[in-house]
Amino acid sequence: MQEYDAGPGEDASENARQLAASFAKVLKTGKPDHLAVLHYPIPIEQPDGTVLYDDRYWSCTHTPIKDASGSVTHILQHTSDITELERLRRQVGRLRPEEASSALDSLIGGGMFRRAMSVQADNRRLESERRQLLDIFMQTPGFVAVLNGPEHVIQLHNGAYGQLIGHRDVVGKPIREALPELAGQGFYDCLDEVLATGEPFQGRQSPVQLQHMPNGSLTTRYLNFIYQPIRNDTGAIMGVFVQGHDVTDTVLAAERQKLMIDELNHRVKNTLATVQSIAMQTARSHEDPRSFAETFQSRILSLSHTHDLLTRSHWEGADLREVLEHETAAHGLHRLTLNGPSVSLDPAMAVSLGMIFHELATNAAKYGALTPGEGRVLVDWSVADLNNPHLAILWRETGGPSVAQPERRGFGSRLIERNVRHDLAGTAQMHYRDNGLSAEITIPLNKEAA
């Protein structure tokens, strides 16, 4: 800001500041500004080259001069020298009360001059308060805007509102022109209703489609907001005050939580159904309570192992090799050979295959290659047809006792068949040979295609 020479004295800097502030206000607002009383000495150069200051008082009016576009190009300063009035005021001020009895004396000595000084002081105070309120308005964390008139012209908005609309240049534009993407979403109608009725409108978690830049793609935001009518001194409604908060993150978090709870309920129901089925089928195959308890416990532990794997990945899935290792580790990994690529299984696949591998390993430990001896289990798997991928698993037992096809299907066989056919939409073939059991399992990896 340009510095102005206000002469010597303690008040010089304040006098210069008042003058500069008045000019700045005219440039910013485009409206005239008045200084009722300005103490501003005038420098007068003396014949010997020295400069003396003539103490003067002024009443100033600063009027903007604008070009065709409405921009302020010049400021017209009209000043009235009220120095003599000030000197008379001071002179009268030194008189005794009984001496200052005329109307003119009263006028000069106090009334008009003091009122002028008081008005100017009030104006400075109000201007300071206005700036403070404007700073608070602009820095508030929620979005705020002031809309004027029946067209809802955006007169002012803060940074949060600008961020919400992609920092578009909307000041001075009607809302329908500034934010055309709001058409058909009901917000224009709500603003019209507030302006017509004077009743505020409140929205909670209201979805709104907004562009972050002109002609850009629409994004969905969720807002808590209120439209408040703005009234003038006579009570007439002049505009709408918009205030609110972007609660998109809160709404999306609540939706994710609901989805997680629904998914948890689904998993719990499925798990309980699986446990119930295991209990019933195990009871049919084991009349002895001790035998039932041991078998039932081992199958529940198998289910628990797979759940542990899924928990580590936040139930996003598990790798096939990890599922196999978990379900066969109790029988000694040195007696198993696992060969195949990395295959990611979704949670449902992981649970079903975990139960299947547990049954195969348990049967091998009781009757097949994993009984005491030199038997081994070889598990090979591969993925075929990448356009419609299928997982092929071959479980082969070697070096163990010969096995014969059972006379009746036990729970293990039924569980394998049910899980493969119904849960995994695949096929399973069991071959009982002299050198051990062989199981071929094929399941689609794309469940939608299946």
Side-chain angles (χ1 to χ4, degrees), residues 195-337:
L195 203 64
T197 66
E199 295 294 329
F201 176 84
Q202 186 172 8
R204 294 191 59 81
Q205 298 185 356
S206 300
V208 55
Q209 297 283 318
L210 284 172
Q211 294 173 340
H212 279 291
M213 58 181 58
N215 302 320
S217 59
L218 293 175
T219 59
T220 301
R221 310 299 297 177
Y222 294 87
L223 310 177
N224 285 350
F225 68 94
I226 186 168
Y227 293 156
Q228 295 269 23
I230 300 174
R231 301 177 184 271
N232 62 12
D233 294 340
T234 65
I237 300 173
M238 305 300 295
V240 178
F241 182 72
V242 178
Q243 189 271 333
H245 294 271
D246 186 341
V247 293
T248 302
D249 291 343
T250 301
V251 171
L252 295 182
E255 290 181 353
R256 286 193 296 269
Q257 184 180 38
K258 182 179 182 302
L259 182 63
M260 291 175 62
I261 292 174
D262 291 343
E263 178 67 16
L264 178 62
N265 288 335
H266 176 70
R267 290 174 187 169
V268 169
K269 289 179 180 179
N270 286 347
T271 302
L272 291 176
T274 302
V275 171
Q276 183 182 31
S277 176
I278 291 172
M280 293 176 63
Q281 297 295 337
T282 304
R284 291 177 184 174
S285 305
H286 298 78
E287 296 181 357
D288 177 53
R290 178 177 297 178
S291 173
F292 164 80
E294 291 177 355
T295 304
F296 180 69
Q297 183 179 20
S298 69
R299 286 167 176 164
I300 295 301
L301 285 175
S302 169
L303 188 63
S304 173
H305 290 160
T306 306
H307 279 222
D308 287 341
L309 273 180
L310 292 171
T311 299
R312 294 178 193 173
S313 68
H314 304 288
W315 277 80
E316 293 181 358
D319 187 79
L320 174 61
R321 180 183 293 273
E322 289 183 328
V323 175
L324 271 165
E325 289 176 348
H326 266 70
E327 297 304 335
T328 57
H331 306 288
L333 291 178
H334 64 284
R335 301 184 66 182
L336 291 104
T337 300

Side-chain angles (χ1 to χ4, degrees), residues 43-62:
I44 300 176
E45 186 174 353
Q46 303 301 307
D48 61 359
T50 60
V51 176
L52 296 179
Y53 285 88
D54 185 14
D55 208 17
R56 312 296 292 179
Y57 290 85
W58 312 86
S59 178
C60 308
T61 298
H62 298 140

Side-chain angles (χ1 to χ4, degrees), residues 34-50:
H34 309 280
L35 293 175
V37 180
L38 176 66
H39 182 202
Y40 207 91
I42 299 298
I44 300 176
E45 186 174 353
Q46 303 301 307
D48 61 359
T50 60

Side-chain angles (χ1 to χ4, degrees), residues 178-201:
L179 304 176
E181 69 270 25
L182 294 182
Q185 299 189 52
F187 295 96
Y188 299 155
D189 297 333
C190 290
L191 288 170
D192 292 340
E193 186 72 14
V194 172
L195 203 64
T197 66
E199 295 294 329
F201 176 84

